[in-house]
Amino acid sequence: MTDMKVLLAAVNAKYIHTSLSVRTLSAYAARDNVEFAEYTINERAEDILRSIYLKKADAVLFSCYIWNIKMCLDIADMLKKASHSTKIILGGPEVSYDDSYIENYDFVDGIMRGEGEETFKEWLEKGDNIKGMTYRKGKEIIRNADREPIHDITSIPFPYTSDDLRKNKGKLIYYESSRGCPFKCSYCLSSTTHNVRFRDLETVKNELLFFIKHDVRIVKFVDRTFNADRKRSYELIKFLIDNAGDTTFHFEVAADLINDELIALFKTAPKGLFQLEIGVQSTNDEVISAIDRKTDFNLIKKAVRLIHEAGTVHMHLDLIAGLPFEDINSFKNSFDDVFALRPHVLQLGFLKLLRGTKIRSESDKYGYQYSSKPPYEIIRNDFVSYDDILLLKGVEEVFEKYYNSSVFLNSMEYLLQKYSSPFDFFANLWSFYSNGGYHLAGQSRNNLYKILSDFLDDDLFKDILKLDYFINNKGANTPSWALREYNRKLLGERFEILTEDFISENLSEYNGMATKDIIKNLTFEEFEYDVLGDKKRKKNIIIFDNKYDRRVRIYKD
């Protein structure tokens, strides 16, 4: 085993992602005969096969999740046929909780279950007959005893190098400062390991400083609950504020554990330094109890509103459709409750009954029907029908396009005022969208504006939509659906408007520049309504400053 060449293969969800698992395994093993390679699920399986085959590894280990398992199996199957002597090992959360993948696929030679670092390192030295391994011996499948989790996770080496970060500049970098979760949510794999193990605080600080010094764009913590230890999370957040650079840090937090001291600290943070992901899942107490979750929505509301007031932190709130006791009306209430908090992003997810979770083991109790293949997503249960799921899928689609995209902000505010329930608005928007057949093909952003202009026959709304259009489409031409065509007289009027006094008062950054050069950065558009003011019918010109992202309004006679 010591001389064979080993390849750790990661198939990531997107090109901008990086794999923490293969890097960590490689760093922990610290062996010259181990290397890793990364691919994406958007590549052709044949191209990935060719790349892996040409590396001529004696053993290939695939990091397996619900979103890449099919491609991993396809590649592994072809690899075994191309090189029968190549050993195929699977690892990761999708394959750790039963032996079905080795029982059902004869090209799989072994599975590393659970935490992989120590198992992988020992496997390199001793072979298959070790703790944490299920392996094939002739026609027999042998499942050895489980391996205990690593108690001291600080013993796991930092998996990134300067060269690695340079090669992956601009990509999302994953980082782990703790393992385990203090909570026991029945749908989550973290519920299978209740104890939380923390990486040494000073070690974490040094590693985060390494990211900052290398100008990493986004570091996403994989810690299940970053603020499980309030004192520790406060100290880390203060450290990141004190050493802020161009790196954004993304945490998953329990909002009801956020206290006044942390809120005060967030107020001192540079805008864009932090992104918080907050799992609300439901605001129905019966639902929360059924999934063994312990949250207080009143505390969540308080924390989210205070963070909003701080004005420095991007917030991403999550809901899960398909939980026990959450019928369509209950979900509507949960949606409206969370939307009222106005997160920057509201993620509407659908329950996935993952291998190893409590909710999967008790699926019959709630009448769950779910896809038999990954990602094991709900089809229906005793509380929501498939018709309900289809409606929620539609709401999710238009919500992602029109709200979470943040490019229709003014239009959404105007439309939402016409509905007592945000959920009802997005349900109606979905009905219009699907009845028009727009869901049957991908829609460009320009098409999305046109579709929304047809949704409501309202002159003021068309001007508000036009405002969003020019805010998010710098230098664009007047769209065909606009209330009025472009007034070509503006081409000459622009020079009359841009007097020295006007520039000094409204566009002072351009002082001293020639007017012909200033105009290159500006878009002039006429509006029938005062969309930047009281929304009354008052003709005006809005100058969109595309360089400095601002708007200047001029009323017309």
Side-chain angles (χ1 to χ4, degrees), residues 253-267:
V253 300
D256 47 347
L257 295 181
I258 294 175
N259 55 22
D260 293 341
E261 289 76 17
L262 191 57
I263 296 291
L265 188 60
F266 278 137
K267 289 181 179 179

Side-chain angles (χ1 to χ4, degrees), residues 152-351:
D152 178 18
I153 65 167
T154 309
S155 66
I156 302 171
F158 184 61
Y160 297 100
T161 64
S162 295
D163 185 54
D164 189 20
L165 294 182
R166 278 193 293 270
K167 288 178 180 177
N168 291 285
K169 190 170 182 61
K171 292 188 178 183
L172 188 67
I173 300 297
Y174 292 91
Y175 177 72
E176 180 179 58
S177 75
S178 68
R179 282 188 182 177
C181 183
F183 306 113
K184 299 183 292 184
C185 304
S186 64
Y187 57 84
C188 181
L189 281 174
S190 294
S191 64
T192 60
T193 53
H194 306 316
N195 61 317
V196 184
R197 293 155 287 156
F198 295 100
R199 199 164 174 83
D200 172 71
L201 191 58
E202 292 306 312
T203 300
V204 171
K205 288 179 180 179
N206 289 331
E207 292 169 350
L208 296 179
L209 205 56
F210 186 81
F211 291 136
I212 295 168
K213 289 179 177 178
H214 284 79
D215 294 323
V216 171
R217 187 171 68 90
I218 298 180
V219 173
K220 185 170 183 178
F221 280 63
V222 298
D223 304 35
R224 298 311 303 161
T225 306
F226 172 74
N227 62 333
D229 182 328
R230 288 179 176 177
K231 182 179 178 181
R232 185 176 188 274
S233 60
Y234 180 95
E235 188 169 343
L236 282 175
I237 287 173
K238 186 177 188 310
F239 175 81
L240 291 173
I241 292 173
D242 292 342
N243 293 277
D246 295 327
T247 303
T248 295
F249 293 90
H250 181 112
F251 312 114
E252 187 169 341
V253 300
D256 47 347
L257 295 181
I258 294 175
N259 55 22
D260 293 341
E261 289 76 17
L262 191 57
I263 296 291
L265 188 60
F266 278 137
K267 289 181 179 179
T268 69
K271 193 169 184 178
L273 179 60
F274 298 121
Q275 296 177 354
L276 298 185
E277 185 171 347
I278 298 168
V280 181
Q281 319 314 7
S282 172
T283 64
N284 183 325
D285 289 340
E286 185 179 19
V287 175
I288 292 299
S289 177
I291 58 176
D292 300 330
R293 192 170 173 83
K294 294 181 179 179
T295 55
D296 185 330
F297 186 60
N298 288 323
L299 291 177
I300 292 174
K301 284 195 295 185
K302 177 186 175 183
V304 169
R305 284 171 177 157
L306 288 173
I307 293 170
H308 253 315
E309 290 174 12
T312 62
V313 178
H314 179 94
M315 278 187 295
H316 175 153
L317 271 58
D318 296 339
L319 286 172
I320 297 179
L323 296 174
F325 301 108
E326 187 96 276
D327 62 17
I328 192 70
N329 290 321
S330 173
F331 187 85
K332 171 185 170 179
N333 292 335
S334 291
F335 183 95
D336 289 349
D337 287 342
V338 175
F339 187 85
L341 301 177
R342 292 306 178 97
H344 298 98
V345 173
L346 197 172
Q347 184 67 45
L348 169 52
F350 291 81
L351 180 67

Side-chain angles (χ1 to χ4, degrees), residues 8-12 18-23 36-40 43 48 52 61-63 65 67-68 72:
L8 298 164
V11 183
N12 299 325
T18 52
S19 171
L20 179 59
S21 61
V22 296
R23 284 173 170 80
F36 65 83
E38 294 180 278
Y39 309 95
T40 79
E43 296 178 61
I48 299 175
I52 292 176
L61 284 72
F62 290 90
S63 183
Y65 302 86
W67 38 264
N68 74 358
C72 287

Side-chain angles (χ1 to χ4, degrees), residues 60-95:
V60 178
L61 284 72
F62 290 90
S63 183
C64 302
Y65 302 86
I66 54 173
W67 38 264
N68 74 358
I69 183 64
K70 183 181 184 303
M71 180 165 275
C72 287
L73 291 173
D74 289 346
I75 296 164
D77 182 23
M78 292 188 289
L79 180 61
K80 180 64 83 171
K81 290 172 179 174
S83 176
H84 186 71
S85 62
T86 302
K87 200 174 183 73
I88 304 292
I89 306 292
L90 307 183
E94 172 55 17
V95 300

Side-chain angles (χ1 to χ4, degrees), residues 378-393:
I378 179 177
I379 295 172
R380 63 177 173 85
N381 64 14
D382 289 341
F383 313 99
V384 287
S385 66
Y386 189 54
D387 285 326
D388 295 330
I389 293 294
L390 290 177
L391 170 61
L392 294 176
K393 287 278 187 181

